[in-house]
Amino acid sequence: MTATSAARSDTAPKFRPTVFPPRTTLVEQRADGTIVLRCANPPADPAQLGLGEFAAHWAVQRGDTCAFAERESTSPDAAWRMITWAEMWQQIQSVGAALLEMGLGADCPLMILSGNSIEHAILVLAAEHVGVPTAPVSPAYSLVSKDFARLRDVVSLVPPGAIFVQDAAAFARALDVIGKPDVPVIAVRGARKGHHDWASLVATTVTPARRAAVQAAHDAIHEDDLGRVLFTSGSTGVPKGVALSHGNLRAVAAYYLESFRPLLERPSRYLDWLPWHHGLGGVLNMTRVATLGGSHYIDDGRPLPGQFDRTVRNMRDVAATVYTAVPAAWMMLVTEAERNPEVARNLFSEAVNFSYGGASLPRDVWDRIHALSERTIGERVAFCSGLACTESSGVGLYCTWPSETTGNIGVPAPGVSAKLIPLEGGDGRYEIRIKGPSVFKGYVQRPDLTAAAFDEEGFFKMGDAVRLQDPSDPARGLSFAGRVAEDFKLTNGTWVRTGAVRLTLVEQCAPLLNDAVICGHDHDYLAALAWPNVAACRSLAPELSELDAEALVRHPIVVEAIRTRLHAPASGKGASLSVRRVMLMAEPPSMDANEIADKGYVNQAATRARRAHLVEALFHPEPESHIACAR
């Protein structure tokens, strides 16, 4: 076992200092080629059990500070609605008492169907403070889905003791589909007869008896008790219930206390749209603001046409301390910031670091952000990203130092061990598995999946592949190398690393593509189905400016632009790993068909299966004119 620390180059570009403490990584090299990395720094040991206790602390220390804020409406001039930490703690106690009086408890969870809101935040903190497990569900299961299949699945996995919705009218069909008239429904707006109105919950008087009941319920919580269930879909689209214990959630708080300790000394601010039914948004980001006593501004925008304007509006108001987004959002944000100095100033002025997740960040976007940062504040803001998953409560590996290259996901956080197992192919890739206090114990009602998820040493099999940034020094970090299950072989026996090929294609065709699905099973070359960056494609020529997506993806100018980019393979890539054909698609990925998750990650296998007729057309000996083919 050796101990090494990440080194930094003296000639590196100037970066704004991050807040992270120095760390040492222990490296174990095994005879079979397996590498085990561990952080030598001990994790923090919070005095608090649960976010409710943190809220109580900040109610005293920063009572008048904004805890959560959201726009009052979607109107362009809508003001921010805020709740302070003192108000937050008061309402946590009131709502917690009301939930107990409804009969909720450790075996009677609360299901949340609607998205991010102040009420959602209060409810999660209140429920978990009194030992009521929460189960936040993607709003798309209720509002976008046409068959409600996934909603039925999650209700079957975790039968709710009560259900929360922001707007009873919007979720009326979903509530009817669930068909549980005996289950209490809590509604913020439009409460129907028999529903519990949110206003009545927060108005619950915290009498001495209720205060004692809340405290007794809180004191009875054990670290192994269920705290939250998050749902994640596999390739079949059937949701899996990830059971996170109070101990798992406490480990996330410990991570923030150790990693971001300097932010305890000053109020921090965050602007974020990531959904709270996912680990990154709901576990990491919600825990971050509660642990650090910051202010979380709920971004009502999305990195989608017609919705990103809201994010831009919000960025004019909020200069975030840490800004985290998926690569699609960064692509749109850098374009806006390049032409809007006010957005650029707020993006860079207060940031201690940036982060991204869900997929790799294209180098073009990385370079543009750093160049804009240097022009705006005279230095770069470090991208400190990592690798984790829902099953690890969002904690795993993290890059805590500025890097000159995109894709460094760092080394294990305190308390976390990572096992790297060499993969077939001889290209330096490893399957990564992790273990630590943030890692869950199993899936709800699926002992078979639970048994298959862990190896003989108790490491969780993430299903991801990584490479060492520097094979001679593992402490320099790892880079993400795709999903192991997505890889395949061509008929000539060549391994295709789907994640790397996808990123290369997007960069090669920048800025014309938003995402791509790599195809080539049972073929001797690669092709891709891809979604266009509509704005970028329209900018290719004046006559394209008013075309809709259907016409755009077939227009000869667009097809020729893609073909030209395919003609110049990425540097260092062999012909067998170059994409030879691309078909652009106007139809966005379908959530009902499990083609895409809420965070924007595209399920390659599900998309190929659903669009098999397009894949067949891609490989036809005489491809149609709207398919871009490398010469």
Side-chain angles (χ1 to χ4, degrees), residues 35-367:
I35 301 172
V36 178
L37 305 179
R38 299 182 179 89
C39 184
N41 302 52
D45 185 17
Q48 296 85 354
L49 174 61
L51 302 187
E53 288 192 28
F54 281 103
H57 170 78
W58 295 120
V60 174
Q61 299 297 319
R62 296 178 185 165
D64 294 333
T65 299
C66 167
F68 288 85
E70 66 178 326
R71 294 286 187 183
E72 291 179 339
S73 71
T74 58
S75 171
D77 58 353
W80 289 99
R81 179 171 70 99
M82 302 183 181
I83 183 171
T84 66
W85 280 111
E87 294 166 337
M88 189 86 181
W89 173 233
Q90 178 60 45
Q91 294 191 22
I92 285 171
Q93 295 175 88
S94 294
V95 173
L99 295 178
L100 291 176
E101 290 175 5
M102 282 186 202
L104 302 185
D107 299 319
C108 199
L110 172 67
M111 183 166 283
I112 302 171
L113 299 187
S114 49
N116 303 10
S117 68
I118 290 175
E119 292 81 13
H120 184 151
I122 295 167
L123 195 63
V124 168
L125 269 64
E128 293 176 5
H129 186 69
V130 296
V132 176
T134 57
V137 176
S138 169
Y141 291 5
S142 298
L143 302 178
V144 178
S145 177
K146 294 179 175 59
D147 60 12
F148 297 101
R150 292 200 203 177
L151 180 61
R152 291 188 178 95
D153 286 337
V154 299
V155 170
S156 175
L157 275 176
V158 183
I163 299 171
F164 171 81
V165 294
Q166 196 76 20
D167 188 322
F171 286 85
R173 289 183 62 226
L175 293 172
D176 289 342
V177 165
I178 291 173
K180 292 185 177 294
D182 56 327
V183 173
V185 173
I186 303 166
V188 177
R189 294 188 299 274
R192 298 185 294 189
K193 183 179 180 181
H195 288 180
H196 293 262
D197 183 71
W198 175 260
S200 66
L201 265 68
V202 296
T204 301
T205 302
V206 185
T207 62
R210 283 175 171 151
R211 191 182 305 277
V214 166
Q215 189 61 49
H218 181 69
D219 291 343
I221 296 172
H222 188 276
E223 285 206 346
D224 290 335
D225 290 343
L226 180 64
R228 202 176 308 183
V229 179
L230 298 181
F231 300 98
T232 180
S233 295
S235 58
T236 64
V238 177
K240 294 179 291 186
V242 178
L244 301 180
S245 69
H246 285 275
N248 293 147
L249 299 175
R250 185 172 180 267
V252 181
Y255 165 75
Y256 279 110
L257 288 178
E258 192 274 346
S259 297
F260 290 86
R261 180 164 292 278
L263 297 184
L264 292 170
E265 305 304 319
R266 57 184 175 93
S268 51
R269 298 205 296 179
Y270 310 94
L271 174 67
D272 190 74
W273 62 269
L274 290 165
W276 288 347
H277 58 272
H278 276 298
L280 180 54
V283 178
L284 278 183
N285 291 353
M286 188 181 288
T287 301
R288 176 179 64 191
V289 69
T291 303
L292 302 177
S295 302
H296 185 109
Y297 290 77
I298 299 171
D299 181 8
D300 59 346
R302 290 290 186 277
L304 297 169
Q307 298 187 44
F308 193 67
D309 288 348
R310 300 178 195 172
T311 292
V312 173
R313 173 189 62 167
N314 295 334
M315 292 199 73
R316 293 193 182 103
D317 291 349
V318 182
T321 307
V322 176
Y323 193 79
T324 302
V326 296
W330 280 111
M331 292 178 193
M332 301 177 77
L333 180 57
V334 69
T335 299
E336 183 63 34
E338 285 171 337
R339 66 189 182 201
N340 190 324
E342 185 181 11
V343 171
R345 281 194 300 272
N346 269 6
L347 176 62
F348 299 114
S349 61
E350 299 297 325
V352 297
N353 72 272
F354 295 144
S355 187
Y356 61 90
S360 299
L361 187 69
R363 181 71 199 206
D364 169 69
V365 177
W366 168 281
D367 289 338

Side-chain angles (χ1 to χ4, degrees), residues 498-524:
T498 300
V501 174
R502 171 199 156 275
L503 180 61
T504 297
L505 177 65
V506 172
E507 291 179 340
Q508 190 177 352
C509 295
L512 301 180
L513 302 184
N514 276 339
D515 213 331
V517 174
I518 306 303
C519 308
H521 295 75
D522 300 323
H523 294 279
D524 58 2

